[in-house]
Amino acid sequence: MKKIGLLSDTHSHLDERILHHLQGCDEIWHAGDFGTAAVIDELATLAPLRGVYGNIDGRDVRLRQPLVQHFELEGLTVLMTHIGGYPGHYSPAARPLLQEHRPGLFISGHSHILKVMPDPRLQLLHLNPGAAGRHGFHKVRTLLRFEVAEGKVQQLQVVELGPK
């Protein structure tokens, strides 16, 4: 069993509330738009970090994070990319990746809209943690915490970080 902290769209912003809620995680996953490589460095001091770069990320982040992450953890196949859409509305770039990798968990960011949605057609769970940063149209900053065990997401928690 692994405890995961999932966030996205920090846009160079990390504060004590974010760091507090990521304490105790076995891994931290970031679904893009870090903002700066300093965010990568700070998150990596808390736990091993897996991330993808987003559309606002510059060369400093893109040299250190891929466009797509595909991996297995505790029997769960995970696919993560920044601009991926959601069930019934996947982005054109995500559709072939979903068919190729057949993940049990698909993660994307970008929209700044928190989503937890099953996709019965592709037999996966889609997660978008919303936005943890202060830049964008969202009203409340969010992240997700959960456990991965025996090929499943368990104990999923939405963490509201307060107004932007």
Side-chain angles (χ1 to χ4, degrees), residues 35-50:
T36 64
V39 171
I40 295 170
D41 294 336
E42 189 161 0
L43 291 173
T45 66
L46 299 175
L49 175 67
R50 297 183 200 244

Side-chain angles (χ1 to χ4, degrees), residues 78-93:
V78 180
L79 179 66
M80 178 169 46
T81 192
H82 183 60
I83 301 175
Y86 57 93
H89 301 280
Y90 293 118
S91 72

Side-chain angles (χ1 to χ4, degrees), residues 1-5 24-28 145-148:
M1 187 264 304
K2 298 283 186 183
K3 294 180 183 179
I4 308 299
C25 290
D26 295 310
E27 292 189 12
I28 297 169
R145 288 176 50 106
F146 55 92
E147 296 174 358
V148 176

Side-chain angles (χ1 to χ4, degrees), residues 2 4 28-29 33 41 46 60 62-63 65 85 94 98-99 107 112-113 121 128 132 135-136 139-140 142-143 162:
K2 298 283 186 183
I4 308 299
I28 297 169
W29 299 351
D33 281 359
D41 294 336
L46 299 175
D60 61 335
R62 291 174 189 233
L63 287 173
Q65 299 295 324
L98 290 163
Q99 291 302 316
I107 298 169
H112 293 219
I113 299 169
R121 189 175 66 80
N128 183 323
H135 178 72
K139 303 267 188 238
V140 177
T142 56
L143 61 82

